[in-house]
Amino acid sequence: MALLEVEDLVVRFYTEGGVVRAVDGLSYTLDRGERLGVVGESGAGKTAAALAVLGLLDESGRIEGEIRFDGESLTAADDDRLQAIRGGRIGTVFQDPEAALNPVYTVGEQIAEAVRTHTDRDGAAANDRAVALLDRVGIPDPATRADQYPHEFSGGMAQRALVAMALAGDPDLLIADEPTTGLDVTVQAQLLELLDDLATADLAVQLVSHDLGVVAEFCDRVLVLYAGQAVERAPVDDLFYEPKHPYTAGLLRSVPRIGDSRDRLSALSGTTPDLSAPPPGCRFHPRCPYAEDACTKHDPPLAATDDSGVHRAACLAYTGDLSGELTFSVDVVDDDGGADGGDSR
Ligand code: SF4
């Protein structure tokens, strides 16, 4: 049994402008010790799906489908149970550490509070655990730092403190939503190294990111979302070296690389659709260079692209309903970080 099982998840937001289907029929699993990257443009549904797992959607959000964590239904759990799991067996790291830390309490007090809430440690034992966690995430002189306030921490240190807080309940799953966004590149690299050190054989990580480089470096498997739906799912190397969906290929082509000989980046044309009135058929068809008439009528399932069934893509090319062939080319990154000239298929 997988640690996390998401089945046919639908997330709707009821807004003044109409009902927005932010996530539409999303299914995926995450095993213990696995690192899953969830990628896509803004509005793809990455964060809405993560918040649904955490039970943190705002009042306008409603979900359908099933989310199971270690066999327990989170969709059926009440608020108390969700609160116990969140911050306990599921740790979270969000994008903006300054917003996530309370400015009127010391960093140590906030981590100790998480320890008290999610473990049986209390008093001095919780404070000692807070200092140990700061030490574990690489904060120098952790005992002194524990007594400082968030404004005394740099952005990178504040993000490390959030990771320490996420570890307070000894989680089995860490959900990190854009944890490196807004950090400068050297701090980003340090944070990824820290997550890499922490991701043990037991700790599963769901990394939500728009940054393909971060996902390529850290994850084992990747799920690509477009307009609330999964459009591709594959082991990380397969996805980056042999993308099977035109949207993934377009995303990869739009990434600048060291040694890039292209005069200009090839950006994906168009924008993500309005999810209160998504296009019929394949939601990517208004932007897809391979779209045919059938693409405007049929919503393709996430189908196997080869005999193993491990690499899946939601495109009619893999259901036998497309008359033409996908012949896109993607520059892949060689071991020196340069583009190697491309891989056509
Ligand atoms: Fe493009 Fe059609 Fe495939 Fe959608 S189903 S990705 S529109 S070719």
Side-chain angles (χ1 to χ4, degrees), residues 152-320:
E152 296 175 87
F153 277 49
S154 67
M157 289 213 329
Q159 193 58 294
R160 281 170 185 265
L162 274 193
V163 175
M165 205 180 298
L167 298 176
D170 293 322
D172 297 304
L173 167 63
L174 188 66
I175 295 185
D177 188 356
E178 302 279 5
T180 58
T181 302
L183 300 177
D184 65 46
V185 283
T186 50
V187 180
Q188 269 190 21
Q190 289 164 3
L191 190 73
L192 281 182
E193 210 176 293
L194 168 64
L195 291 176
D196 201 42
D197 284 349
L198 295 174
T200 61
D202 287 333
L203 180 68
V205 180
Q206 179 172 324
L207 177 68
V208 176
S209 183
H210 69 281
D211 188 330
L212 297 173
V214 166
V215 169
E217 198 174 321
F218 183 78
C219 295
D220 307 317
R221 209 154 53 93
V222 188
L223 182 65
V224 183
L225 300 189
Y226 180 76
Q229 298 179 322
V231 294
E232 187 157 1
R233 192 177 70 202
V236 68
D237 284 349
D238 291 1
L239 187 118
F240 281 90
Y241 286 92
E242 290 190 33
K244 300 290 189 186
H245 194 282
Y247 173 64
T248 312
L251 274 185
L252 291 171
R253 275 197 300 265
S254 63
V255 176
R257 300 188 178 96
I258 295 170
D260 208 325
S261 55
R262 292 173 293 177
D263 291 336
R264 55 171 57 210
L265 289 174
S266 122
L268 269 166
S269 63
T271 55
T272 48
D274 173 3
L275 292 182
S276 59
C282 172
R283 291 186 176 183
F284 188 57
H285 85 254
R287 303 172 74 184
C288 182
Y290 307 97
E292 297 183 2
D293 201 34
C295 305
T296 65
K297 298 185 178 81
H298 304 295
D299 188 5
L302 204 55
T305 64
D306 56 23
D307 290 343
S308 75
V310 175
H311 194 155
R312 305 181 85 85
C315 172
L316 294 180
Y318 306 106
T319 60

